[in-house]
Amino acid sequence: MRLRNIKGSREVIGASDYVVHEEETKAGTWHEIFGNDHPIYIEVGMGKGQFIMALAKRHPENNYVGIEKYSSVLLRALEKMDKEEEPLPNLVFIRMDAENIEKVFAEGEVDGIYLNFSDPWPKDRHAKRRLTSTTFFGRYNKILKKDGKVEFKTDNRPLFEFSLESVKEAGWNLVAHTFDLHHNEEMNEGNIMTEYEEKFSSQGNPICKLIADR
Ligand code: SAM
């Protein structure tokens, strides 16, 4: 993902109806924000939002929150939302670093968490920043409902193997996993391709996926 600082992106985001602002959110108020009591699913590191927009369209009975760290990337998601023929009242975005996720969501407020093609942070000293580190599983443990699941996809084999270990170390259960999602009929059923998934699978990279719960 190019991280150019697009001029004015913060202003556009500030004025957008699709964005909930980190400083204005209070953990435990997401049902008020959506105006209903439907389940709440989040994608951490949603990029330009292709996956979560398709998911929100497919499941109007759920609410979705797309989390992205960079304004310049979030802006692209806002542009996509503007091009939608029908509005998506069950989807909002928030620009924030997921390190602070426990400040934004209350205990058990989230029904499910999606992580797609998360940044690998290949240096050992940055391992805690990986969205599938035990540090992050600790954060997900707080905000996720008791029977909620984390679903993670990547084409990065070392990151995937690290993540399988993390699930175990964090004391979570590995519900299912595959090293080749697109050739695993059961796990691939209903799969929504992310932007990165389209790009890397078209280059011949197998896609890995894991599902974890506690
Ligand atoms: N999920 C998308 C996909 O599969 O096409 C985008 C993948 S891109 C490689 C990873 C995205 O996660 C980037 O847009 C990055 O800015 C975002 N990201 C990385 N670390 C993050 C964090 N700590 N909090 C929020 N977003 C983060």
Side-chain angles (χ1 to χ4, degrees), residues 106-152:
E107 213 175 310
E109 193 172 17
V110 172
D111 288 78
I113 299 175
Y114 296 97
L115 310 170
N116 293 313
F117 296 80
S118 310
D119 295 344
W121 291 106
K123 291 188 178 133
D124 282 349
R125 68 190 156 90
H126 292 145
K128 278 188 177 179
R129 297 187 195 171
R130 296 174 194 151
L131 295 181
T132 52
S133 65
T134 51
T135 309
F136 268 98
F137 273 108
R139 295 178 177 127
Y140 305 147
N141 187 41
K142 292 199 178 131
I143 64 168
L144 192 61
K145 275 211 168 69
K146 212 168 98 226
D147 56 352
K149 291 180 177 53
V150 170
E151 299 198 12
F152 170 55

Side-chain angles (χ1 to χ4, degrees), residues 1 3 43-51 67-70 73-74 94-100 114-121 129 131 136 153 193-198 200:
M1 184 122 332
L3 299 176
E43 183 186 7
V44 183
M46 63 148 190
K48 298 178 205 157
Q50 171 171 318
F51 171 85
I67 298 170
E68 172 51 49
K69 188 163 155 181
Y70 293 107
V73 183
L74 176 53
I94 182 163
R95 196 207 60 75
M96 64 175 283
D97 190 322
E99 280 184 8
N100 300 321
Y114 296 97
L115 310 170
N116 293 313
F117 296 80
S118 310
D119 295 344
W121 291 106
R129 297 187 195 171
L131 295 181
F136 268 98
K153 293 194 279 187
M193 297 258 257
T194 81
E195 186 187 347
Y196 272 61
E197 185 171 353
E198 281 181 354
F200 292 125

